[in-house]
Amino acid sequence: MTLISALGLPEDILRYAGLALLVLIGLGLFFPPFERILEKPFSRLPQRQVKREGGAFVLGLGLSLLYVPCAGPVLAAITVAGARGETSADIVVLTVAFAIGTAIPLLFFALAGRRVAERVAAFRTRARRLRVVSGVLMIALALALAFDVTTALQRALPDYTRAAQRTVEDSDIARQKLSGLYDDTNKELSRCEDGVDELRSCGPAPPLTGISTWINTPGGSPLDLASLRGRVVLIDFWTYSCINCQRSIPYVKDWDRVYRDAGLTVIGVHSPEFAFEKSAANVADQTRKFGITYPVALDNELDTWDAYRNRFWPAKYLIDAEGTVRHFTFGEGRYARTENLIRDLLRRADPTAVLPQPTDRTDDRPTADRTPETYLSTHRIRGNTGIPELADDRPVAYAYPADGIPLNGIALTGTWTAGYEHFTAGADARIAVTYRAQNAHLVLAGEGTVTVLVDGRRTRTIAVHGTPALYRLTDHDDEREAHLELRLTPGLRAFALTYG
């Protein structure tokens, strides 16, 4: 990447080269003479049987230019160390371990595929047909990568490794290490730990340094934290190809929309994980695609990332009206907690301010008789669930209790897969709750519809599209006690029910 930058070539030239190679290989599978032309440059290499395996070499070369693993803080540490030119025994051991962990499953699939191809007679008797099908799939893969279809698909699919990842990364020891000091600069940030429940004084907010480009500011002019004194600032570290960041963006957008006029300034610091993410044009295009209207700073050299001692995508830092860091949280989740702290800082900045209704919580301090929010999570669900037992991460058919659902109770019927972060609807999936509030809301994700019934009467059908977002279920003018039933199409993911 250093050589590419020195030559003045586009940062994503390797990606385009990989896509071109996949298309050429697909054409070669269609037309054997074309494949022989592709293999010819490698026939002079001093290897046995290279003529037969030259196509595989080209395929491996093309895929290596497109393969982009994501391993959270591990890859972040390696990326930052490489970008900053910092090499140590710890970094070498970490890099080697990461490389081995990445290579082993790829080697397994390669060897398994080769063994199957050698032993299954169908591959030999239908070789021509299989070559044509493989060529079609190869070209389709290249087109999907070129138009970013794979990323949209990945966002839509459940995150099956989330529970295991949280078990490791959310442990107290891991979080203390990840938020600890690495040198003697900005020592006061060590006063804070990731994801605590209260505001703390974590020292002066480091300046935004090394920013190459600003997006969504007048004329691309830079923002200075000193000029924002009197306003609460949320700094969101993200990068556009990070799936975890993409899932959190809707929440950050909602906070900007709801609280901007109340004194909140959101700044998205785009700290790239890969070289192609350094392109200002790419970041601007993705910023528009995600509907981001708040300022975005391109931290291509990771200077601001280092100044805040960050090691996560995404990461959120809250700065009060006096310029002091008061809270930070790493990774996805904790949205209600973060919003509550934003509201607390806004009140401290202006005690007379009348804040708008919350986004993913409809009331900052629920009254005693108002139904509290319910997280659809195997680890966080509370109250009168009306569910005999929740099974972790596997589809189970549930049934409503025979004696009905009490106030503040929730029950399921139909097939549901209950997970750490959300419940996924299956066949005939329904949720029923009895609540007391003015209105009910539900955080949903996926593609499908939700049919809403209030007190047995169908009131609306909601179309759900894309990443997690808050959907309003009812539209009442006053607080009431009501029975709510939601009928979800299969595949929809439900995160949390809120009331207000």
Side-chain angles (χ1 to χ4, degrees), residues 113-167:
R114 181 174 181 177
R115 186 64 59 87
V116 170
E118 290 174 348
R119 295 192 174 188
V120 178
F123 282 93
R124 295 191 293 270
T125 59
R126 299 179 175 87
R128 176 57 186 163
R129 186 180 304 171
L130 289 171
R131 285 173 59 90
V132 172
V133 172
S134 299
V136 172
L137 292 177
M138 196 70 65
I139 295 174
L141 173 62
L143 292 175
L145 290 169
F147 291 99
D148 209 24
V149 175
T150 53
T151 301
L153 178 63
Q154 188 177 1
R155 286 200 305 270
L157 291 175
D159 189 354
Y160 295 107
T161 62
R162 170 56 51 187
Q165 182 177 344
R166 280 191 176 275
T167 300

Side-chain angles (χ1 to χ4, degrees), residues 178-195:
L178 289 167
S179 60
L181 284 172
Y182 288 86
D183 52 44
D184 292 331
T185 63
N186 302 325
K187 290 183 178 180
E188 292 179 285
L189 282 174
S190 63
R191 296 177 183 175
C192 289
E193 296 178 9
D194 164 39

Side-chain angles (χ1 to χ4, degrees), residues 39 42-57 114 118:
E39 295 176 354
F42 304 99
S43 62
R44 300 191 180 111
L45 295 177
Q47 298 179 14
R48 298 181 62 185
Q49 296 181 338
V50 72
K51 190 163 185 175
R52 289 176 52 196
E53 299 178 0
F57 180 87
R114 181 174 181 177
E118 290 174 348

